[in-house]
């Protein structure tokens, strides 16, 4: 089976812009979770989608949003980008609510 | 919510020695404890996991132990090799709750 794929792998944006990241889960997995990884804060949970519904949400401002499509692919959007949004954004898919498999991540740099 | 603490933050061992990484968690409802290995430029990879109805699990050179009473779990790597060098993350979750990660341990195995 193909693993979790994320696009794009690298992205450079400027403050105030918005960005959309995409994640394709492992075939058959219906749950997709998003994480932000930074050197200072580690891996922080953004949100989880299951069957097109947001099931859990972390403590991030409303500028961070996501959605899931009927084929389980998911997108996350960050509006009004800030310098502090520079991070590696990781997507993980799972069949159950437990074992999560991560993609390679999208590295976002905000200038 | 769940809080996961991980120690040490860095660990350096000689090739062939053992490495032990420890984590504690706060939520007694947590029942699933995975360990991930993250190499440079890649997403975290699941290496082993344990559920709360099991006290120990082994997979070749890797083992995980869980003490539910004390709320701590540990990763043991025996006969370490240079390719074990990476950042290791522990995590904890319970049914219907998001997964919380430790801050990570950078393991260096010196040849």
């Amino acid at each position: 089976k193909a693993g979790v794929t994320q696009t794009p792998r690298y992205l450079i944006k400027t403050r105030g812009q918005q960005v959309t990241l995409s994640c394709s889960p492992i075939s058959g997995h219906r749950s997709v979770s998003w994480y932000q990884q930074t050197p200072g804060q580690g891996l922080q949970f953004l949100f989880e989608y299951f069957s097109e519904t947001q099931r859990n949400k972390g403590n991030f401002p409303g500028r961070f949003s996501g959605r899931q499509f009927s084929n389980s692919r998911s997108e996350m959007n960050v509006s009004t980008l800030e310098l502090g949004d520079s991070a590696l954004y990781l997507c993980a898919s799972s069949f159950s609510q437990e074992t999560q498999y991560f993609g390679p991540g999208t590295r976002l740099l905000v200038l | 919510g769940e809080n996961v603490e991980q120690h040490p933050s860095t660990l350096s061992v000689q090739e062939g020695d053992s490495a032990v990484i420890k984590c504690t968690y706060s939520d007694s409802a947590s029942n699933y404890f995975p360990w991930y290995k993250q190499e440079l430029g890649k997403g975290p990879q699941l290496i082993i996991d344990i559920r709360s109805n099991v006290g120990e699990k082994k997979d070749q050179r890797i083992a995980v132990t869980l003490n539910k009473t004390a709320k701590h779990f540990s990763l043991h790597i025996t006969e370490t090799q240079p390719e074990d060098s990476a950042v290791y993350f522990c995590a904890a979750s319970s049914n219907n709750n998001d997964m919380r990660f430790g801050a990570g341990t950078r393991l260096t195995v010196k040849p």
Side-chain angles (χ1 to χ4, degrees), chain B residues 14-58:
Chain B
Q14 210 63 41
E15 183 177 358
D17 287 351
S18 294
V20 180
I21 302 170
K22 298 182 179 182
C23 289
T24 60
Y25 61 98
S26 60
D27 188 352
S28 56
S30 290
N31 56 9
Y32 175 65
F33 308 91
W35 285 88
Y36 288 87
K37 174 185 181 183
Q38 187 174 24
E39 295 173 292
L40 200 61
K42 297 183 179 180
Q45 263 194 307
L46 179 71
I47 55 171
I48 195 168
D49 56 11
I50 192 167
R51 288 170 174 79
S52 59
N53 57 345
V54 175
E56 183 174 0
K57 185 175 177 181
K58 273 187 96 169

Side-chain angles (χ1 to χ4, degrees), chain B residues 90-106:
Chain B
C90 62
S93 71
S94 60
N95 297 335
N96 300 317
N97 283 340
D98 55 276
M99 190 168 293
R100 297 296 171 115
F101 286 81
T105 296
R106 183 174 298 279

Side-chain angles (χ1 to χ4, degrees), chain A residues 36 44-46 57-64 89:
Chain A
Q36 182 195 65
Q44 291 191 289
F45 172 74
L46 280 155
K57 189 177 187 311
N59 294 325
F60 277 81
R63 300 185 297 108
F64 292 81
Y89 289 88

Side-chain angles (χ1 to χ4, degrees), chain A residues 9-73:
Chain A
R9 292 293 313 277
Y10 304 93
L11 206 47
I12 300 176
K13 291 284 186 179
T14 55
R15 278 183 300 173
Q17 288 187 306
Q18 74 161 19
V19 67
T20 299
L21 312 181
S22 180
C23 171
S24 291
I26 293 171
S27 177
H29 287 191
R30 293 163 65 190
S31 169
V32 173
S33 297
W34 288 91
Y35 295 86
Q36 182 195 65
Q37 186 176 33
T38 59
Q41 299 295 321
L43 268 161
Q44 291 191 289
F45 172 74
L46 280 155
F47 28 66
E48 183 217 355
Y49 286 87
F50 181 85
S51 293
E52 301 178 67
T53 301
Q54 188 179 86
R55 191 158 63 175
N56 281 306
K57 189 177 187 311
N59 294 325
F60 277 81
R63 300 185 297 108
F64 292 81
S65 62
R67 58 177 175 167
Q68 187 179 33
F69 302 95
S70 58
N71 61 357
S72 294
R73 190 177 71 84

